[in-house]
mmCIF file of all heavy atoms in Angstrom:
data_model
loop_
_atom_site.group_PDB
_atom_site.id
_atom_site.type_symbol
_atom_site.label_atom_id
_atom_site.label_comp_id
_atom_site.label_asym_id
_atom_site.label_seq_id
_atom_site.Cartn_x
_atom_site.Cartn_y
_atom_site.Cartn_z
ATOM 1 N N GLN A 230 55.158 -5.341 -71.083
ATOM 2 C CA GLN A 230 56.605 -5.299 -70.885
ATOM 3 C C GLN A 230 57.001 -6.483 -70.004
ATOM 4 O O GLN A 230 56.160 -7.043 -69.287
ATOM 5 C CB GLN A 230 57.021 -3.992 -70.199
ATOM 6 C CG GLN A 230 56.706 -2.744 -70.988
ATOM 7 C CD GLN A 230 57.634 -2.549 -72.170
ATOM 8 O OE1 GLN A 230 58.650 -3.231 -72.299
ATOM 9 N NE2 GLN A 230 57.276 -1.628 -73.058
ATOM 10 N N PHE A 231 58.263 -6.847 -70.081
ATOM 11 C CA PHE A 231 58.744 -7.932 -69.234
ATOM 12 C C PHE A 231 59.688 -7.361 -68.176
ATOM 13 O O PHE A 231 60.590 -6.580 -68.500
ATOM 14 C CB PHE A 231 59.471 -8.995 -70.065
ATOM 15 C CG PHE A 231 58.537 -9.843 -70.880
ATOM 16 C CD1 PHE A 231 58.196 -9.465 -72.173
ATOM 17 C CD2 PHE A 231 57.990 -11.002 -70.356
ATOM 18 C CE1 PHE A 231 57.335 -10.229 -72.937
ATOM 19 C CE2 PHE A 231 57.120 -11.779 -71.107
ATOM 20 C CZ PHE A 231 56.787 -11.389 -72.403
ATOM 21 N N VAL A 232 59.461 -7.746 -66.940
ATOM 22 C CA VAL A 232 60.323 -7.298 -65.838
ATOM 23 C C VAL A 232 61.016 -8.517 -65.226
ATOM 24 O O VAL A 232 60.487 -9.633 -65.265
ATOM 25 C CB VAL A 232 59.521 -6.554 -64.747
ATOM 26 C CG1 VAL A 232 58.995 -5.233 -65.258
ATOM 27 C CG2 VAL A 232 58.385 -7.411 -64.203
ATOM 28 N N VAL A 233 62.203 -8.276 -64.674
ATOM 29 C CA VAL A 233 62.942 -9.331 -63.989
ATOM 30 C C VAL A 233 62.623 -9.221 -62.512
ATOM 31 O O VAL A 233 63.051 -8.275 -61.844
ATOM 32 C CB VAL A 233 64.460 -9.195 -64.229
ATOM 33 C CG1 VAL A 233 65.209 -10.270 -63.458
ATOM 34 C CG2 VAL A 233 64.767 -9.289 -65.707
ATOM 35 N N ALA A 234 61.852 -10.168 -61.980
ATOM 36 C CA ALA A 234 61.419 -10.079 -60.585
ATOM 37 C C ALA A 234 60.882 -11.422 -60.123
ATOM 38 O O ALA A 234 60.642 -12.346 -60.924
ATOM 39 C CB ALA A 234 60.339 -9.001 -60.443
ATOM 40 N N ASP A 235 60.706 -11.526 -58.816
ATOM 41 C CA ASP A 235 60.062 -12.685 -58.194
ATOM 42 C C ASP A 235 58.553 -12.484 -58.311
ATOM 43 O O ASP A 235 57.978 -11.589 -57.687
ATOM 44 C CB ASP A 235 60.480 -12.802 -56.737
ATOM 45 C CG ASP A 235 59.955 -14.066 -56.071
ATOM 46 O OD1 ASP A 235 58.733 -14.322 -56.170
ATOM 47 O OD2 ASP A 235 60.747 -14.773 -55.430
ATOM 48 N N LYS A 236 57.879 -13.323 -59.113
ATOM 49 C CA LYS A 236 56.460 -13.136 -59.391
ATOM 50 C C LYS A 236 55.614 -13.168 -58.135
ATOM 51 O O LYS A 236 54.694 -12.350 -57.962
ATOM 52 C CB LYS A 236 55.981 -14.205 -60.375
ATOM 53 C CG LYS A 236 54.524 -14.033 -60.789
ATOM 54 C CD LYS A 236 54.122 -15.071 -61.817
ATOM 55 C CE LYS A 236 52.664 -14.887 -62.244
ATOM 56 N NZ LYS A 236 52.245 -15.885 -63.253
ATOM 57 N N ASN A 237 55.899 -14.094 -57.224
ATOM 58 C CA ASN A 237 55.109 -14.202 -55.995
ATOM 59 C C ASN A 237 55.248 -12.954 -55.133
ATOM 60 O O ASN A 237 54.269 -12.465 -54.549
ATOM 61 C CB ASN A 237 55.527 -15.440 -55.191
ATOM 62 C CG ASN A 237 55.134 -16.726 -55.877
ATOM 63 O OD1 ASN A 237 54.127 -16.777 -56.607
ATOM 64 N ND2 ASN A 237 55.918 -17.775 -55.679
ATOM 65 N N MET A 238 56.476 -12.420 -55.050
ATOM 66 C CA MET A 238 56.690 -11.211 -54.259
ATOM 67 C C MET A 238 55.922 -10.024 -54.844
ATOM 68 O O MET A 238 55.254 -9.275 -54.124
ATOM 69 C CB MET A 238 58.185 -10.877 -54.184
ATOM 70 C CG MET A 238 59.000 -11.760 -53.271
ATOM 71 S SD MET A 238 60.686 -11.110 -53.103
ATOM 72 C CE MET A 238 61.395 -12.284 -51.949
ATOM 73 N N ILE A 239 56.030 -9.845 -56.163
ATOM 74 C CA ILE A 239 55.394 -8.691 -56.791
ATOM 75 C C ILE A 239 53.869 -8.829 -56.738
ATOM 76 O O ILE A 239 53.153 -7.837 -56.558
ATOM 77 C CB ILE A 239 55.871 -8.534 -58.245
ATOM 78 C CG1 ILE A 239 57.411 -8.439 -58.270
ATOM 79 C CG2 ILE A 239 55.252 -7.300 -58.879
ATOM 80 C CD1 ILE A 239 57.990 -7.402 -57.339
ATOM 81 N N THR A 240 53.380 -10.054 -56.874
ATOM 82 C CA THR A 240 51.936 -10.277 -56.727
ATOM 83 C C THR A 240 51.481 -9.893 -55.326
ATOM 84 O O THR A 240 50.420 -9.272 -55.148
ATOM 85 C CB THR A 240 51.602 -11.748 -57.007
ATOM 86 O OG1 THR A 240 51.985 -12.085 -58.352
ATOM 87 C CG2 THR A 240 50.112 -12.012 -56.849
ATOM 88 N N THR A 241 52.275 -10.256 -54.331
ATOM 89 C CA THR A 241 51.954 -9.898 -52.943
ATOM 90 C C THR A 241 51.953 -8.384 -52.762
ATOM 91 O O THR A 241 51.086 -7.825 -52.081
ATOM 92 C CB THR A 241 52.972 -10.539 -51.975
ATOM 93 O OG1 THR A 241 52.922 -11.960 -52.110
ATOM 94 C CG2 THR A 241 52.679 -10.156 -50.536
ATOM 95 N N VAL A 242 52.925 -7.708 -53.374
ATOM 96 C CA VAL A 242 52.995 -6.241 -53.276
ATOM 97 C C VAL A 242 51.746 -5.610 -53.889
ATOM 98 O O VAL A 242 51.092 -4.754 -53.272
ATOM 99 C CB VAL A 242 54.258 -5.704 -53.985
ATOM 100 C CG1 VAL A 242 54.218 -4.181 -54.075
ATOM 101 C CG2 VAL A 242 55.516 -6.148 -53.237
ATOM 102 N N LEU A 243 51.390 -6.025 -55.106
ATOM 103 C CA LEU A 243 50.197 -5.471 -55.766
ATOM 104 C C LEU A 243 48.934 -5.751 -54.958
ATOM 105 O O LEU A 243 48.085 -4.870 -54.792
ATOM 106 C CB LEU A 243 50.071 -6.059 -57.170
ATOM 107 C CG LEU A 243 51.073 -5.550 -58.218
ATOM 108 C CD1 LEU A 243 51.049 -6.424 -59.471
ATOM 109 C CD2 LEU A 243 50.779 -4.100 -58.584
ATOM 110 N N ARG A 244 48.820 -6.965 -54.463
ATOM 111 C CA ARG A 244 47.632 -7.323 -53.678
ATOM 112 C C ARG A 244 47.509 -6.458 -52.429
ATOM 113 O O ARG A 244 46.423 -5.968 -52.090
ATOM 114 C CB ARG A 244 47.675 -8.800 -53.304
ATOM 115 C CG ARG A 244 46.370 -9.289 -52.650
ATOM 116 C CD ARG A 244 46.458 -10.714 -52.169
ATOM 117 N NE ARG A 244 47.323 -10.832 -51.009
ATOM 118 C CZ ARG A 244 48.435 -11.546 -50.965
ATOM 119 N NH1 ARG A 244 48.827 -12.207 -52.035
ATOM 120 N NH2 ARG A 244 49.159 -11.608 -49.862
ATOM 121 N N ASN A 245 48.652 -6.242 -51.729
ATOM 122 C CA ASN A 245 48.624 -5.431 -50.519
ATOM 123 C C ASN A 245 48.277 -3.976 -50.822
ATOM 124 O O ASN A 245 47.476 -3.351 -50.117
ATOM 125 C CB ASN A 245 49.977 -5.504 -49.808
ATOM 126 C CG ASN A 245 50.061 -6.656 -48.830
ATOM 127 O OD1 ASN A 245 49.481 -6.633 -47.752
ATOM 128 N ND2 ASN A 245 50.782 -7.696 -49.218
ATOM 129 N N LEU A 246 48.858 -3.422 -51.893
ATOM 130 C CA LEU A 246 48.610 -2.021 -52.219
ATOM 131 C C LEU A 246 47.155 -1.799 -52.646
ATOM 132 O O LEU A 246 46.521 -0.810 -52.255
ATOM 133 C CB LEU A 246 49.572 -1.554 -53.319
ATOM 134 C CG LEU A 246 51.056 -1.478 -52.936
ATOM 135 C CD1 LEU A 246 51.889 -0.993 -54.115
ATOM 136 C CD2 LEU A 246 51.265 -0.553 -51.736
ATOM 137 N N ILE A 247 46.614 -2.727 -53.448
ATOM 138 C CA ILE A 247 45.225 -2.579 -53.893
ATOM 139 C C ILE A 247 44.271 -2.807 -52.719
ATOM 140 O O ILE A 247 43.271 -2.088 -52.563
ATOM 141 C CB ILE A 247 44.923 -3.545 -55.054
ATOM 142 C CG1 ILE A 247 45.810 -3.206 -56.261
ATOM 143 C CG2 ILE A 247 43.444 -3.475 -55.444
ATOM 144 C CD1 ILE A 247 45.715 -4.214 -57.403
ATOM 145 N N THR A 248 44.576 -3.793 -51.873
ATOM 146 C CA THR A 248 43.744 -4.043 -50.694
ATOM 147 C C THR A 248 43.726 -2.826 -49.777
ATOM 148 O O THR A 248 42.671 -2.434 -49.247
ATOM 149 C CB THR A 248 44.261 -5.268 -49.923
ATOM 150 O OG1 THR A 248 44.229 -6.414 -50.784
ATOM 151 C CG2 THR A 248 43.400 -5.550 -48.699
ATOM 152 N N ASN A 249 44.886 -2.206 -49.576
ATOM 153 C CA ASN A 249 44.955 -0.986 -48.758
ATOM 154 C C ASN A 249 44.147 0.140 -49.392
ATOM 155 O O ASN A 249 43.466 0.903 -48.702
ATOM 156 C CB ASN A 249 46.409 -0.540 -48.589
ATOM 157 C CG ASN A 249 47.093 -1.220 -47.427
ATOM 158 O OD1 ASN A 249 46.463 -1.953 -46.675
ATOM 159 N ND2 ASN A 249 48.388 -1.002 -47.282
ATOM 160 N N ALA A 250 44.234 0.252 -50.727
ATOM 161 C CA ALA A 250 43.486 1.300 -51.422
ATOM 162 C C ALA A 250 41.986 1.105 -51.244
ATOM 163 O O ALA A 250 41.230 2.063 -51.017
ATOM 164 C CB ALA A 250 43.859 1.302 -52.899
ATOM 165 N N ILE A 251 41.533 -0.151 -51.320
ATOM 166 C CA ILE A 251 40.108 -0.458 -51.090
ATOM 167 C C ILE A 251 39.726 -0.100 -49.656
ATOM 168 O O ILE A 251 38.672 0.485 -49.389
ATOM 169 C CB ILE A 251 39.820 -1.935 -51.383
ATOM 170 C CG1 ILE A 251 40.034 -2.234 -52.869
ATOM 171 C CG2 ILE A 251 38.400 -2.310 -50.957
ATOM 172 C CD1 ILE A 251 39.980 -3.710 -53.222
ATOM 173 N N LYS A 252 40.599 -0.450 -48.733
ATOM 174 C CA LYS A 252 40.329 -0.211 -47.310
ATOM 175 C C LYS A 252 40.149 1.272 -47.016
ATOM 176 O O LYS A 252 39.250 1.663 -46.244
ATOM 177 C CB LYS A 252 41.481 -0.782 -46.485
ATOM 178 C CG LYS A 252 41.425 -0.486 -44.991
ATOM 179 C CD LYS A 252 42.663 -1.051 -44.290
ATOM 180 C CE LYS A 252 42.703 -0.656 -42.822
ATOM 181 N NZ LYS A 252 43.914 -1.150 -42.144
ATOM 182 N N PHE A 253 40.974 2.113 -47.610
ATOM 183 C CA PHE A 253 40.952 3.548 -47.282
ATOM 184 C C PHE A 253 40.188 4.400 -48.303
ATOM 185 O O PHE A 253 40.227 5.617 -48.240
ATOM 186 C CB PHE A 253 42.383 4.070 -47.133
ATOM 187 C CG PHE A 253 43.132 3.449 -45.990
ATOM 188 C CD1 PHE A 253 44.204 2.605 -46.217
ATOM 189 C CD2 PHE A 253 42.736 3.694 -44.683
ATOM 190 C CE1 PHE A 253 44.887 2.022 -45.162
ATOM 191 C CE2 PHE A 253 43.411 3.111 -43.620
ATOM 192 C CZ PHE A 253 44.483 2.272 -43.860
ATOM 193 N N SER A 254 39.507 3.743 -49.249
ATOM 194 C CA SER A 254 38.703 4.482 -50.230
ATOM 195 C C SER A 254 37.247 4.562 -49.770
ATOM 196 O O SER A 254 36.749 3.678 -49.055
ATOM 197 C CB SER A 254 38.763 3.803 -51.602
ATOM 198 O OG SER A 254 40.041 3.960 -52.175
ATOM 199 N N PHE A 255 36.579 5.598 -50.226
ATOM 200 C CA PHE A 255 35.160 5.756 -49.910
ATOM 201 C C PHE A 255 34.325 4.991 -50.925
ATOM 202 O O PHE A 255 34.771 4.686 -52.034
ATOM 203 C CB PHE A 255 34.783 7.245 -49.923
ATOM 204 C CG PHE A 255 35.541 8.051 -48.902
ATOM 205 C CD1 PHE A 255 36.585 8.883 -49.303
ATOM 206 C CD2 PHE A 255 35.234 7.969 -47.553
ATOM 207 C CE1 PHE A 255 37.290 9.633 -48.365
ATOM 208 C CE2 PHE A 255 35.929 8.708 -46.618
ATOM 209 C CZ PHE A 255 36.972 9.537 -47.021
ATOM 210 N N ALA A 256 33.077 4.690 -50.536
ATOM 211 C CA ALA A 256 32.174 3.960 -51.423
ATOM 212 C C ALA A 256 31.957 4.744 -52.715
ATOM 213 O O ALA A 256 31.988 5.982 -52.736
ATOM 214 C CB ALA A 256 30.851 3.701 -50.711
ATOM 215 N N ASN A 257 31.756 3.967 -53.785
ATOM 216 C CA ASN A 257 31.452 4.538 -55.108
ATOM 217 C C ASN A 257 32.595 5.405 -55.666
ATOM 218 O O ASN A 257 32.357 6.365 -56.392
ATOM 219 C CB ASN A 257 30.156 5.355 -55.064
ATOM 220 C CG ASN A 257 28.976 4.535 -54.554
ATOM 221 O OD1 ASN A 257 28.801 3.394 -54.970
ATOM 222 N ND2 ASN A 257 28.180 5.106 -53.663
ATOM 223 N N SER A 258 33.833 5.075 -55.288
ATOM 224 C CA SER A 258 34.995 5.779 -55.844
ATOM 225 C C SER A 258 35.754 4.851 -56.798
ATOM 226 O O SER A 258 35.353 3.706 -57.009
ATOM 227 C CB SER A 258 35.919 6.257 -54.719
ATOM 228 O OG SER A 258 36.418 5.151 -53.988
ATOM 229 N N THR A 259 36.838 5.357 -57.364
ATOM 230 C CA THR A 259 37.617 4.585 -58.345
ATOM 231 C C THR A 259 39.070 4.476 -57.891
ATOM 232 O O THR A 259 39.659 5.459 -57.417
ATOM 233 C CB THR A 259 37.564 5.251 -59.730
ATOM 234 O OG1 THR A 259 36.198 5.294 -60.174
ATOM 235 C CG2 THR A 259 38.387 4.464 -60.747
ATOM 236 N N ILE A 260 39.631 3.300 -58.057
ATOM 237 C CA ILE A 260 41.058 3.058 -57.786
ATOM 238 C C ILE A 260 41.728 2.767 -59.118
ATOM 239 O O ILE A 260 41.267 1.899 -59.880
ATOM 240 C CB ILE A 260 41.264 1.890 -56.813
ATOM 241 C CG1 ILE A 260 40.657 2.217 -55.445
ATOM 242 C CG2 ILE A 260 42.748 1.550 -56.672
ATOM 243 C CD1 ILE A 260 40.656 1.047 -54.485
ATOM 244 N N ARG A 261 42.799 3.475 -59.404
ATOM 245 C CA ARG A 261 43.519 3.307 -60.664
ATOM 246 C C ARG A 261 44.803 2.504 -60.433
ATOM 247 O O ARG A 261 45.603 2.850 -59.575
ATOM 248 C CB ARG A 261 43.852 4.666 -61.279
ATOM 249 C CG ARG A 261 42.621 5.488 -61.665
ATOM 250 C CD ARG A 261 42.983 6.841 -62.244
ATOM 251 N NE ARG A 261 43.647 7.698 -61.257
ATOM 252 C CZ ARG A 261 44.927 7.968 -61.250
ATOM 253 N NH1 ARG A 261 45.729 7.443 -62.173
ATOM 254 N NH2 ARG A 261 45.439 8.761 -60.334
ATOM 255 N N ILE A 262 44.969 1.454 -61.211
ATOM 256 C CA ILE A 262 46.175 0.617 -61.137
ATOM 257 C C ILE A 262 46.840 0.685 -62.500
ATOM 258 O O ILE A 262 46.219 0.352 -63.526
ATOM 259 C CB ILE A 262 45.829 -0.857 -60.792
ATOM 260 C CG1 ILE A 262 45.041 -0.926 -59.480
ATOM 261 C CG2 ILE A 262 47.114 -1.671 -60.686
ATOM 262 C CD1 ILE A 262 43.564 -1.084 -59.669
ATOM 263 N N GLY A 263 48.088 1.128 -62.530
ATOM 264 C CA GLY A 263 48.740 1.319 -63.808
ATOM 265 C C GLY A 263 50.186 0.869 -63.837
ATOM 266 O O GLY A 263 50.799 0.567 -62.811
ATOM 267 N N SER A 264 50.741 0.870 -65.064
ATOM 268 C CA SER A 264 52.134 0.480 -65.267
ATOM 269 C C SER A 264 52.615 1.064 -66.586
ATOM 270 O O SER A 264 51.877 1.059 -67.587
ATOM 271 C CB SER A 264 52.252 -1.045 -65.297
ATOM 272 O OG SER A 264 53.557 -1.438 -65.644
ATOM 273 N N LYS A 265 53.832 1.593 -66.592
ATOM 274 C CA LYS A 265 54.407 2.110 -67.835
ATOM 275 C C LYS A 265 55.936 2.036 -67.752
ATOM 276 O O LYS A 265 56.516 1.948 -66.671
ATOM 277 C CB LYS A 265 53.957 3.543 -68.086
ATOM 278 C CG LYS A 265 54.518 4.564 -67.097
ATOM 279 C CD LYS A 265 54.097 5.983 -67.479
ATOM 280 C CE LYS A 265 54.701 7.003 -66.513
ATOM 281 N NZ LYS A 265 54.341 8.394 -66.877
ATOM 282 N N ARG A 266 56.545 2.113 -68.928
ATOM 283 C CA ARG A 266 58.011 2.044 -68.999
ATOM 284 C C ARG A 266 58.599 3.434 -68.840
ATOM 285 O O ARG A 266 58.108 4.400 -69.422
ATOM 286 C CB ARG A 266 58.442 1.450 -70.329
ATOM 287 C CG ARG A 266 59.951 1.414 -70.516
ATOM 288 C CD ARG A 266 60.349 0.670 -71.767
ATOM 289 N NE ARG A 266 61.800 0.674 -71.949
ATOM 290 C CZ ARG A 266 62.433 -0.050 -72.867
ATOM 291 N NH1 ARG A 266 61.731 -0.836 -73.687
ATOM 292 N NH2 ARG A 266 63.747 -0.003 -72.964
ATOM 293 N N GLU A 267 59.668 3.511 -68.029
ATOM 294 C CA GLU A 267 60.455 4.747 -67.885
ATOM 295 C C GLU A 267 61.927 4.380 -67.937
ATOM 296 O O GLU A 267 62.480 3.874 -66.963
ATOM 297 C CB GLU A 267 60.121 5.460 -66.569
ATOM 298 C CG GLU A 267 58.796 6.183 -66.573
ATOM 299 C CD GLU A 267 58.603 7.066 -65.351
ATOM 300 O OE1 GLU A 267 59.536 7.129 -64.502
ATOM 301 O OE2 GLU A 267 57.533 7.683 -65.234
ATOM 302 N N GLY A 268 62.568 4.610 -69.073
ATOM 303 C CA GLY A 268 63.984 4.257 -69.221
ATOM 304 C C GLY A 268 64.184 2.756 -69.139
ATOM 305 O O GLY A 268 63.561 1.984 -69.882
ATOM 306 N N GLU A 269 65.034 2.321 -68.238
ATOM 307 C CA GLU A 269 65.335 0.902 -68.077
ATOM 308 C C GLU A 269 64.481 0.253 -67.006
ATOM 309 O O GLU A 269 64.745 -0.889 -66.598
ATOM 310 C CB GLU A 269 66.827 0.725 -67.722
ATOM 311 C CG GLU A 269 67.783 1.209 -68.794
ATOM 312 C CD GLU A 269 67.558 0.486 -70.115
ATOM 313 O OE1 GLU A 269 67.400 -0.753 -70.099
ATOM 314 O OE2 GLU A 269 67.512 1.171 -71.163
ATOM 315 N N ASN A 270 63.477 0.982 -66.516
ATOM 316 C CA ASN A 270 62.618 0.459 -65.445
ATOM 317 C C ASN A 270 61.158 0.477 -65.865
ATOM 318 O O ASN A 270 60.744 1.219 -66.763
ATOM 319 C CB ASN A 270 62.789 1.293 -64.166
ATOM 320 C CG ASN A 270 64.173 1.148 -63.572
ATOM 321 O OD1 ASN A 270 64.653 0.045 -63.363
ATOM 322 N ND2 ASN A 270 64.829 2.274 -63.333
ATOM 323 N N GLN A 271 60.372 -0.341 -65.184
ATOM 324 C CA GLN A 271 58.927 -0.327 -65.318
ATOM 325 C C GLN A 271 58.345 0.247 -64.027
ATOM 326 O O GLN A 271 58.680 -0.214 -62.931
ATOM 327 C CB GLN A 271 58.392 -1.746 -65.554
ATOM 328 C CG GLN A 271 56.921 -1.801 -65.891
ATOM 329 C CD GLN A 271 56.621 -1.381 -67.341
ATOM 330 O OE1 GLN A 271 57.542 -1.112 -68.107
ATOM 331 N NE2 GLN A 271 55.359 -1.326 -67.708
ATOM 332 N N VAL A 272 57.510 1.282 -64.168
ATOM 333 C CA VAL A 272 56.903 1.933 -63.007
ATOM 334 C C VAL A 272 55.475 1.436 -62.831
ATOM 335 O O VAL A 272 54.703 1.387 -63.804
ATOM 336 C CB VAL A 272 56.900 3.471 -63.169
ATOM 337 C CG1 VAL A 272 56.274 4.137 -61.946
ATOM 338 C CG2 VAL A 272 58.312 3.979 -63.388
ATOM 339 N N PHE A 273 55.140 1.048 -61.598
ATOM 340 C CA PHE A 273 53.790 0.609 -61.259
ATOM 341 C C PHE A 273 53.194 1.610 -60.261
ATOM 342 O O PHE A 273 53.922 2.192 -59.452
ATOM 343 C CB PHE A 273 53.805 -0.781 -60.615
ATOM 344 C CG PHE A 273 54.351 -1.864 -61.506
ATOM 345 C CD1 PHE A 273 55.721 -2.028 -61.672
ATOM 346 C CD2 PHE A 273 53.500 -2.739 -62.171
ATOM 347 C CE1 PHE A 273 56.231 -3.033 -62.481
ATOM 348 C CE2 PHE A 273 53.998 -3.747 -62.977
ATOM 349 C CZ PHE A 273 55.361 -3.894 -63.132
ATOM 350 N N TRP A 274 51.871 1.776 -60.305
ATOM 351 C CA TRP A 274 51.233 2.651 -59.309
ATOM 352 C C TRP A 274 49.832 2.161 -58.977
ATOM 353 O O TRP A 274 49.167 1.491 -59.764
ATOM 354 C CB TRP A 274 51.175 4.092 -59.813
ATOM 355 C CG TRP A 274 50.304 4.323 -61.023
ATOM 356 C CD1 TRP A 274 48.973 4.561 -61.067
ATOM 357 C CD2 TRP A 274 50.757 4.304 -62.373
ATOM 358 N NE1 TRP A 274 48.538 4.705 -62.346
ATOM 359 C CE2 TRP A 274 49.617 4.559 -63.182
ATOM 360 C CE3 TRP A 274 51.993 4.117 -62.993
ATOM 361 C CZ2 TRP A 274 49.688 4.611 -64.562
ATOM 362 C CZ3 TRP A 274 52.067 4.165 -64.363
ATOM 363 C CH2 TRP A 274 50.925 4.420 -65.141
ATOM 364 N N VAL A 275 49.434 2.469 -57.734
ATOM 365 C CA VAL A 275 48.074 2.209 -57.256
ATOM 366 C C VAL A 275 47.607 3.518 -56.644
ATOM 367 O O VAL A 275 48.155 3.987 -55.642
ATOM 368 C CB VAL A 275 48.027 1.073 -56.220
ATOM 369 C CG1 VAL A 275 46.603 0.916 -55.679
ATOM 370 C CG2 VAL A 275 48.525 -0.229 -56.823
#
């Protein structure tokens, strides 16, 4: 999907959220990063 956004800002957001997830996750676990369309918006999650 295409979103209207500042690429550098959103990259920074994703990097921070994934880095935090790594920091607070236990060894040998899994972190899920996803994205899907909901109406007129795109939802992202970590």
Side-chain angles (χ1 to χ4, degrees):
Q230 298 286 349
F231 287 90
V232 292
V233 178
D235 186 309
K236 183 177 181 180
N237 291 330
M238 286 188 178
I239 304 308
T240 300
T241 300
V242 171
L243 287 167
R244 188 185 71 242
N245 271 286
L246 293 180
I247 298 173
T248 301
N249 274 355
I251 295 171
K252 174 183 174 182
F253 296 112
S254 289
F255 299 105
N257 304 316
S258 62
T259 299
I260 296 172
R261 297 179 295 106
I262 304 100
S264 173
K265 68 176 182 179
R266 177 173 179 171
E267 285 190 1
E269 298 301 316
N270 294 308
Q271 188 76 3
V272 180
F273 298 80
W274 65 86
V275 176

